[in-house]
Amino acid sequence: MRLTLRLRLALFSALATGLAVLLVATGLFFAVNSFLRQAQVERLLTTSAVIAVQLDAALQRASDRNWPFGLTKVGITQETLETLIDTRGQNRTVEVRLELPGGGPLSEVHTTRFPRGVPLDLPLGVGVSGDQLLTVQDLRGSDLRLTVISDARALGEAREAFTRALAWLLPLALLLALGVGFFVAGRLLRPVRTLENAAREVGEGAQLRRPLPGAGEDDELSRLALTLQGTFARLADARDREQAFMRAAAHDLRSPLAALTARVEGSLARDRDPARYRTDLQEIGTDLTRLSTLTNHLLLLARDASQLARAPVPLRELAADAVDRARELAPEADVDLIAPEPLTVLGDRVLLGQAIWNLTMNAVRHAPGATVTVTLGRADGWATVTVHDDGPGVDAEVLARLGEAFYRPDASRSGEGHGLGLALVRRAAELHGGTLTLHSAPGEGFTAALRLPVSAGSAIS
């Protein structure tokens, strides 16, 4: 089962809190344990130093009296040690052993509760023996060695108490963090739910231009809502363009289909002589050619960029072919080519060839009697195909809409085009990462410039 975002945020919050509590508790544990141990060691060293001073004094007195060798002979007995460390007996915190290195019956004396099993001849300094801390030192002016030991079980008890407290506090902290995280996550995700409901309503009602609640620049959620609102608006624009495209396509397809149907029905309505049938078939062929051209243009416009061919395309060859075809179709047209050097780019040969052909025929058809010049050039990493005619030009209002699918100025409605020529060129430029730039003004002619990027894999020679 997939957890909700709110629950996941709450769990992450609880986990972070638990890790923080565990980290702090571990640090405190080691700090407090080290502090307690150091305090016990210092207390043990202080007590050991006091006992050593007292024993030094007793040994000094025995030396002055020239008592015989041996611990009990010099007056250092078990009772003496008991008296030195604690006169109250049961409340003492240390036990003492005094030893004479080398062994013998008089080599060692200790208090009654000194732990058994503590070895003789321990190294000097502070050490640990089981649950006890001990310190070993030599007495001044003698060969005697003093061992003072204290019970260190308090450290273990402190650790156990700390562990029990942590075992209770950690689950409580996790539960508290989970509850607080769940509540806070709910408050934080409330705008997300509002945005989700609004987006669902926009989708169900197809009101893509409807403002979304909270859209703005205040925080991340506001910017998300603003981004979605802009995305929906662009989708609405694309939907409107698609609907307009489909209506225009249906209109332009309906006319040649209707004419074709009428000619076929008229030809079959009565018997005709072979010459008339030939004429009708020629007209039908013309209509079929127009339909084929329109269909090819629609297919080129709908081509997917991921399926675009990427191969070296000789632009001068495509431009020369377009100029030659234009001269054949319009012998009266003055069409020239200026291409001083070969120019090759990476792209789709069919699509780029159709684009250059459309630019050339657009100038020939809409500027009759004008001189049309097709120029190839290269500058700053761009290959440019420029088609210029010195015809009457167009005004700014018409220029702004040229390149839209199926748009044709009223003056050219009677022509053979479908309003797809410049739209296809613009689409070809976009698919190749280039641009189509149009310049014109009444009485100044018309210029269309197709700019294509020269990539690392292209060859220009």
Side-chain angles (χ1 to χ4, degrees), residues 197-212 232:
N197 295 331
R200 183 184 299 110
E201 293 175 359
V202 167
E204 292 175 352
Q207 300 176 356
L208 297 178
R209 290 189 173 85
R210 173 184 173 182
L212 294 179
F232 289 158

mmCIF file of all heavy atoms in Angstrom, residues 197-212 232:
data_model
loop_
_atom_site.group_PDB
_atom_site.id
_atom_site.type_symbol
_atom_site.label_atom_id
_atom_site.label_comp_id
_atom_site.label_asym_id
_atom_site.label_seq_id
_atom_site.Cartn_x
_atom_site.Cartn_y
_atom_site.Cartn_z
ATOM 1 N N ASN A 197 -7.979 20.314 -6.375
ATOM 2 C CA ASN A 197 -9.408 20.395 -6.697
ATOM 3 C C ASN A 197 -9.665 21.397 -7.819
ATOM 4 O O ASN A 197 -10.479 21.148 -8.724
ATOM 5 C CB ASN A 197 -10.204 20.774 -5.454
ATOM 6 C CG ASN A 197 -10.137 19.697 -4.376
ATOM 7 O OD1 ASN A 197 -9.992 18.515 -4.683
ATOM 8 N ND2 ASN A 197 -10.236 20.093 -3.126
ATOM 9 N N ALA A 198 -8.956 22.533 -7.745
ATOM 10 C CA ALA A 198 -9.139 23.545 -8.789
ATOM 11 C C ALA A 198 -8.665 23.023 -10.139
ATOM 12 O O ALA A 198 -9.320 23.224 -11.168
ATOM 13 C CB ALA A 198 -8.375 24.818 -8.417
ATOM 14 N N ALA A 199 -7.513 22.304 -10.158
ATOM 15 C CA ALA A 199 -7.015 21.749 -11.416
ATOM 16 C C ALA A 199 -7.970 20.692 -11.966
ATOM 17 O O ALA A 199 -8.171 20.603 -13.182
ATOM 18 C CB ALA A 199 -5.622 21.151 -11.203
ATOM 19 N N ARG A 200 -8.569 19.902 -11.076
ATOM 20 C CA ARG A 200 -9.532 18.894 -11.529
ATOM 21 C C ARG A 200 -10.751 19.571 -12.146
ATOM 22 O O ARG A 200 -11.275 19.133 -13.180
ATOM 23 C CB ARG A 200 -9.952 18.015 -10.354
ATOM 24 C CG ARG A 200 -10.904 16.881 -10.783
ATOM 25 C CD ARG A 200 -11.390 16.066 -9.601
ATOM 26 N NE ARG A 200 -10.291 15.440 -8.900
ATOM 27 C CZ ARG A 200 -9.868 15.788 -7.690
ATOM 28 N NH1 ARG A 200 -10.471 16.791 -7.048
ATOM 29 N NH2 ARG A 200 -8.872 15.161 -7.120
ATOM 30 N N GLU A 201 -11.226 20.636 -11.513
ATOM 31 C CA GLU A 201 -12.382 21.354 -12.052
ATOM 32 C C GLU A 201 -12.055 21.979 -13.402
ATOM 33 O O GLU A 201 -12.900 21.999 -14.304
ATOM 34 C CB GLU A 201 -12.832 22.427 -11.060
ATOM 35 C CG GLU A 201 -13.407 21.863 -9.763
ATOM 36 C CD GLU A 201 -13.715 22.951 -8.758
ATOM 37 O OE1 GLU A 201 -13.463 24.136 -9.077
ATOM 38 O OE2 GLU A 201 -14.201 22.629 -7.655
ATOM 39 N N VAL A 202 -10.830 22.466 -13.537
ATOM 40 C CA VAL A 202 -10.424 23.047 -14.826
ATOM 41 C C VAL A 202 -10.431 21.971 -15.907
ATOM 42 O O VAL A 202 -10.909 22.180 -17.025
ATOM 43 C CB VAL A 202 -9.031 23.686 -14.704
ATOM 44 C CG1 VAL A 202 -8.465 24.007 -16.093
ATOM 45 C CG2 VAL A 202 -9.104 24.957 -13.879
ATOM 46 N N GLY A 203 -9.903 20.775 -15.557
ATOM 47 C CA GLY A 203 -9.881 19.697 -16.534
ATOM 48 C C GLY A 203 -11.261 19.195 -16.892
ATOM 49 O O GLY A 203 -11.556 18.929 -18.063
ATOM 50 N N GLU A 204 -12.138 19.056 -15.883
ATOM 51 C CA GLU A 204 -13.481 18.545 -16.153
ATOM 52 C C GLU A 204 -14.328 19.544 -16.924
ATOM 53 O O GLU A 204 -15.140 19.160 -17.768
ATOM 54 C CB GLU A 204 -14.157 18.188 -14.830
ATOM 55 C CG GLU A 204 -13.506 16.986 -14.121
ATOM 56 C CD GLU A 204 -14.108 16.740 -12.758
ATOM 57 O OE1 GLU A 204 -14.922 17.597 -12.308
ATOM 58 O OE2 GLU A 204 -13.779 15.710 -12.130
ATOM 59 N N GLY A 205 -14.138 20.830 -16.631
ATOM 60 C CA GLY A 205 -14.946 21.844 -17.310
ATOM 61 C C GLY A 205 -14.308 22.397 -18.561
ATOM 62 O O GLY A 205 -14.913 23.221 -19.253
ATOM 63 N N ALA A 206 -13.063 21.946 -18.851
ATOM 64 C CA ALA A 206 -12.327 22.415 -20.037
ATOM 65 C C ALA A 206 -12.174 23.937 -20.044
ATOM 66 O O ALA A 206 -12.063 24.547 -21.099
ATOM 67 C CB ALA A 206 -13.007 21.948 -21.319
ATOM 68 N N GLN A 207 -12.160 24.543 -18.823
ATOM 69 C CA GLN A 207 -11.965 25.987 -18.715
ATOM 70 C C GLN A 207 -10.488 26.252 -18.425
ATOM 71 O O GLN A 207 -10.088 26.567 -17.296
ATOM 72 C CB GLN A 207 -12.851 26.563 -17.618
ATOM 73 C CG GLN A 207 -14.342 26.338 -17.862
ATOM 74 C CD GLN A 207 -15.191 26.826 -16.713
ATOM 75 O OE1 GLN A 207 -14.682 27.279 -15.687
ATOM 76 N NE2 GLN A 207 -16.498 26.765 -16.877
ATOM 77 N N LEU A 208 -9.661 26.100 -19.448
ATOM 78 C CA LEU A 208 -8.226 26.141 -19.251
ATOM 79 C C LEU A 208 -7.703 27.525 -18.891
ATOM 80 O O LEU A 208 -6.591 27.644 -18.370
ATOM 81 C CB LEU A 208 -7.525 25.645 -20.524
ATOM 82 C CG LEU A 208 -7.807 24.184 -20.910
ATOM 83 C CD1 LEU A 208 -7.111 23.834 -22.205
ATOM 84 C CD2 LEU A 208 -7.374 23.247 -19.797
ATOM 85 N N ARG A 209 -8.466 28.556 -19.143
ATOM 86 C CA ARG A 209 -8.021 29.909 -18.813
ATOM 87 C C ARG A 209 -8.564 30.387 -17.467
ATOM 88 O O ARG A 209 -8.423 31.561 -17.124
ATOM 89 C CB ARG A 209 -8.450 30.875 -19.913
ATOM 90 C CG ARG A 209 -7.687 30.674 -21.218
ATOM 91 C CD ARG A 209 -7.976 31.786 -22.211
ATOM 92 N NE ARG A 209 -7.137 31.679 -23.388
ATOM 93 C CZ ARG A 209 -7.393 30.932 -24.439
ATOM 94 N NH1 ARG A 209 -8.517 30.206 -24.467
ATOM 95 N NH2 ARG A 209 -6.568 30.878 -25.457
ATOM 96 N N ARG A 210 -9.149 29.489 -16.704
ATOM 97 C CA ARG A 210 -9.669 29.850 -15.384
ATOM 98 C C ARG A 210 -8.515 30.096 -14.407
ATOM 99 O O ARG A 210 -7.584 29.289 -14.316
ATOM 100 C CB ARG A 210 -10.544 28.717 -14.865
ATOM 101 C CG ARG A 210 -11.013 28.909 -13.427
ATOM 102 C CD ARG A 210 -11.795 27.699 -12.968
ATOM 103 N NE ARG A 210 -12.130 27.768 -11.560
ATOM 104 C CZ ARG A 210 -12.774 26.819 -10.898
ATOM 105 N NH1 ARG A 210 -13.164 25.728 -11.537
ATOM 106 N NH2 ARG A 210 -13.025 26.947 -9.622
ATOM 107 N N PRO A 211 -8.523 31.219 -13.652
ATOM 108 C CA PRO A 211 -7.435 31.483 -12.691
ATOM 109 C C PRO A 211 -7.421 30.425 -11.584
ATOM 110 O O PRO A 211 -8.465 29.974 -11.115
ATOM 111 C CB PRO A 211 -7.777 32.868 -12.139
ATOM 112 C CG PRO A 211 -8.708 33.478 -13.138
ATOM 113 C CD PRO A 211 -9.480 32.338 -13.737
ATOM 114 N N LEU A 212 -6.221 30.020 -11.171
ATOM 115 C CA LEU A 212 -6.066 29.050 -10.105
ATOM 116 C C LEU A 212 -5.880 29.767 -8.772
ATOM 117 O O LEU A 212 -5.214 30.818 -8.707
ATOM 118 C CB LEU A 212 -4.865 28.147 -10.379
ATOM 119 C CG LEU A 212 -4.981 27.221 -11.588
ATOM 120 C CD1 LEU A 212 -3.715 26.397 -11.743
ATOM 121 C CD2 LEU A 212 -6.188 26.312 -11.464
ATOM 122 N N PHE A 232 -1.780 25.788 -18.388
ATOM 123 C CA PHE A 232 -3.156 25.616 -18.863
ATOM 124 C C PHE A 232 -3.491 26.646 -19.934
ATOM 125 O O PHE A 232 -4.184 26.339 -20.914
ATOM 126 C CB PHE A 232 -4.130 25.734 -17.696
ATOM 127 C CG PHE A 232 -4.088 24.560 -16.751
ATOM 128 C CD1 PHE A 232 -4.538 24.679 -15.450
ATOM 129 C CD2 PHE A 232 -3.588 23.347 -17.163
ATOM 130 C CE1 PHE A 232 -4.501 23.608 -14.574
ATOM 131 C CE2 PHE A 232 -3.549 22.265 -16.301
ATOM 132 C CZ PHE A 232 -4.005 22.397 -15.005
#
